[in-house]
Amino acid sequence: MNLSVVTMQMSSTPKVEENLLWLSERFSRLQTTENCLVVLPECFACFGGAENEQARIAEDYGNGPIQDFIAHQARKFNLWIVAGSMPLKIKDSELVYASSLLFSPEGQCQARYNKMHLFDVDVADATGQYRESATTQAGSSITVVETPFAKIGLSICYDVRFPELYRKLQAEGAEIICVPSAFTYVTGQAHWQVLMRARAIENQCFVVAPNQTGTHPNGRQTWGRSVVVDPWGEIVHQHSEQKGYLQSKIDLDRVRQVRSKMPNLQHRKLF
């Protein structure tokens, strides 16, 4: 089965309305087909501001203008949309979940994943220190959802450095794994493509990884170069540093072909 896959590469700002307007203009330009999957980057609706910005725009799950916008776009253009990550409220907590949501062409949210691995690291860039756990609660479970065209596994950005998560997604049947990201320029330059290709090769699946790009209002620099990788590790398409979108057709039979010839899931020794 063929699937049209779209990666939206954004240079998001702290202004939600500005980011959603940019997205609505791009959605209207897509070549829609019966099965079309659009994946947005991490923090697509708000990025590049103060650390408390995510809490400020956080919504209740299933209710809020950002979720309403994505649902409307999915219905209007007959799309499956992975809303890369957005903040969702936690009852009786000042922390939020960084959640990836999958919407169907009917505008229904079919799946939710809360980011499991939080970016608490030091990077040799203008920001220097990142402490995602100061504002975000880590998730604790994986998400694989069945769609009419494939099983989709959800993950977010820093998760990609933890291969055990992706092995569990493969074991649950994931054929496409989404990795919406906001990779820093420094870590992206060193590790972006090799990590995405490794996760695709190890798990014999398509990896769809849209990224933030450019210099954001708070000075944070992101790597761009959003990418789609096939189950053999070959690049289907890859962005440069400019914001925009790329759209490609993928053959999902490629997953079955690779896995039948090299059944690595059956050969596992450690679980």
Side-chain angles (χ1 to χ4, degrees):
M1 177 183 288
N2 287 329
L3 172 69
S4 180
V5 175
V6 179
T7 46
M8 289 280 184
Q9 180 161 289
M10 301 179 68
S11 187
S12 296
T13 75
K15 298 179 180 179
V16 173
E17 297 80 5
E18 187 173 281
N19 299 320
L20 298 189
L21 176 61
W22 185 92
L23 276 173
S24 66
E25 292 172 348
R26 272 68 194 173
F27 280 127
S28 67
R29 301 176 190 176
L30 295 178
Q31 297 178 358
T32 56
T33 60
E34 181 180 357
N35 292 314
C36 186
L37 175 67
V38 180
V39 188
L40 312 182
E42 185 177 24
C43 300
F44 68 92
C46 179
F47 189 70
E51 288 300 317
N52 64 359
E53 288 293 329
Q54 296 302 311
R56 181 184 63 81
I57 69 157
E59 299 180 353
D60 291 318
Y61 179 44
N63 181 37
I66 299 172
Q67 293 169 86
D68 289 347
F69 168 82
I70 298 299
H72 175 72
Q73 298 299 313
R75 287 192 301 269
K76 183 177 181 180
F77 297 109
N78 193 38
L79 302 170
W80 288 85
I81 301 175
V82 174
S85 81
M86 62 168 291
L88 293 180
K89 294 178 182 178
I90 302 172
K91 186 178 180 180
D92 298 325
S93 176
E94 293 183 358
L95 300 178
V96 300
Y97 283 122
S99 300
S100 187
L101 307 178
L102 173 65
F103 287 81
S104 72
E106 292 73 39
Q108 299 297 315
C109 183
Q110 298 294 312
R112 172 183 176 179
Y113 166 72
N114 298 325
K115 187 178 183 181
M116 189 177 295
H117 301 96
L118 303 182
F119 194 55
D120 288 0
V121 305
D122 297 335
V123 178
D125 63 6
T127 302
Q129 188 178 82
Y130 298 83
R131 295 293 181 266
E132 190 174 16
S133 65
T135 58
T136 307
Q137 173 70 48
S140 58
S141 59
I142 69 170
T143 300
V144 176
V145 59
E146 189 161 5
T147 71
F149 48 85
K151 286 187 175 181
I152 298 177
L154 300 179
S155 67
I156 301 172
C157 199
Y158 189 50
D159 283 333
V160 79
R161 295 182 181 273
F162 301 88
E164 63 273 18
L165 168 61
Y166 293 81
R167 191 60 97 199
K168 285 184 176 292
L169 294 175
Q170 183 206 28
E172 291 294 321
E175 300 157 294
I176 299 170
I177 298 178
C178 300
V179 197
S181 299
F183 250 66
T184 72
Y185 192 93
V186 170
T187 57
Q189 187 175 41
H191 302 146
W192 171 257
Q193 190 182 107
V194 68
L195 284 169
M196 299 305 169
R197 293 187 67 201
R199 298 296 88 85
I201 294 166
E202 292 166 349
N203 300 294
Q204 301 170 315
C205 62
F206 285 95
V207 165
V208 182
N211 201 15
Q212 292 280 351
T213 192
T215 302
H216 303 270
N218 62 358
R220 182 167 174 175
Q221 292 180 296
T222 48
W223 177 241
R225 295 169 177 82
S226 303
V227 68
V228 176
V229 188
D230 83 357
W232 196 245
E234 296 178 347
I235 304 298
V236 176
H237 73 229
Q238 180 166 304
H239 295 240
S240 61
E241 293 183 66
Q242 284 72 39
K243 60 183 181 180
Y245 72 89
L246 289 177
Q247 183 170 8
S248 295
K249 285 186 178 180
I250 61 173
D251 182 3
L252 291 165
D253 288 337
R254 183 75 170 140
V255 176
R256 178 188 55 79
Q257 292 165 2
V258 171
R259 290 180 178 180
S260 65
K261 292 179 180 178
M262 189 181 294
N264 70 4
L265 192 59
Q266 298 175 30
H267 298 158
R268 291 174 67 187
K269 300 299 182 183
L270 301 176
F271 294 88

